[in-house]
Amino acid sequence: MATRTTQLLVIDPQNDFCDLPASHCPAGSAPSLPVAGAHADMQRLADFIRAQGGQIDAITVTLDSHQRFDIAHPGFWRTGAEAEVAPFTPITAAQVRAGAFTPRDAAALPRTLAYLDALEAQGRYTLMVWPVHCEIGSWGHGIHTDVLAACGDWQLQRQRAVRNVFKGTNPWTEHYSAIEAEVPDADDASTALNTALLLSLGQADQLLVAGEASSHCVRSTTEHIVQHLPRLVPGWQASRVVLLTDGMSPVAGFEAQHQAFLDGMRTAGAQLASMSEISL
């Protein structure tokens, strides 16, 4: 009889996304995009990995990985009056065409408009200017300390490495999903559909999913998994996915998107459970 396999997918468990107390932050550092509840989510997840690690066959950790120059960061933009653009400002193609916002580099306008048009045509997201976050090499880019330690212990226990997946290095497209950028860049293979990752995740009989934030990166990654895996792995069904609901939280103001995600995954056949309900 074939052995049942379980994989854990942890999406962006990074310092910048966690509402960490000061005791968890080095002097002079603080999370730039903290999600309320994320610190407790990651502590529960670390405990879960320690308790259930012997039954987890593979762990994949995705890492949001940005440059300071990024189409979704404030430094890319200015208003029509040449003022700074504040974080958490949504920007549409219509606003750019009307001159309300413009790239600081005027030469970038055609490419920027092409991106915004393509993004909005999908109907999933409007461009959001986020605080600079998960800058490559920064403390905020790093993994929550408890999750990092638990994954390290798991590696020694199981004698296998965690798989890390970096996303977001291309400054010209948003990359919420670890599977594919919101608008892939034809000149950058890292933004295209990550078939190798999909096929690896598709080997699991049970795919546990946790991470931050449920309104954005967890949502987009999971939706892409459910969208693409059935055509890549014969017989694969969304019922293999288990969303660890106490291991994810939404960005403030996006609670409706969080709920829509959970409802949509339930309708698709995925399972929703708290970590205390899972026994591997």
Side-chain angles (χ1 to χ4, degrees), residues 89-172:
T89 300
I91 295 179
T92 67
Q95 289 174 311
V96 175
R97 288 191 168 94
F101 300 101
T102 185
R104 289 178 183 268
D105 178 4
L109 181 59
R111 183 172 188 176
T112 300
L113 281 172
Y115 171 73
L116 292 175
D117 287 338
L119 178 69
E120 291 168 23
Q122 296 177 6
R124 286 167 57 85
Y125 296 103
T126 296
L127 177 88
M128 176 65 72
V129 177
W130 300 105
V132 174
H133 63 283
C134 297
E135 189 173 5
I136 297 167
S138 70
W139 167 82
H141 183 257
I143 296 171
H144 185 284
T145 300
D146 295 343
V147 174
L148 182 64
C151 285
D153 289 345
W154 175 86
Q155 292 184 63
L156 297 182
Q157 175 190 12
R158 299 302 307 273
Q159 285 296 289
R160 59 193 65 171
V162 165
R163 178 176 187 163
N164 294 121
V165 177
F166 295 81
K167 63 183 181 68
T169 56
N170 186 309
W172 294 100

Side-chain angles (χ1 to χ4, degrees), residues 11-12 17 35-38 41-42 124-125 176 209-223 243-252 254-263 265:
I11 298 166
D12 302 0
F17 294 136
V35 174
D41 292 339
M42 294 304 99
R124 286 167 57 85
Y125 296 103
Y176 295 121
V209 179
E212 307 301 340
S214 56
S215 52
H216 289 80
C217 296
V218 176
R219 175 185 181 181
S220 193
T221 300
T222 308
E223 288 177 346
L243 298 178
L244 301 178
T245 53
D246 55 348
M248 59 182 70
S249 297
V251 176
F254 291 89
E255 291 80 7
Q257 287 83 347
H258 161 88
Q259 192 58 53
F261 164 55
L262 297 184
D263 292 344
M265 287 300 101

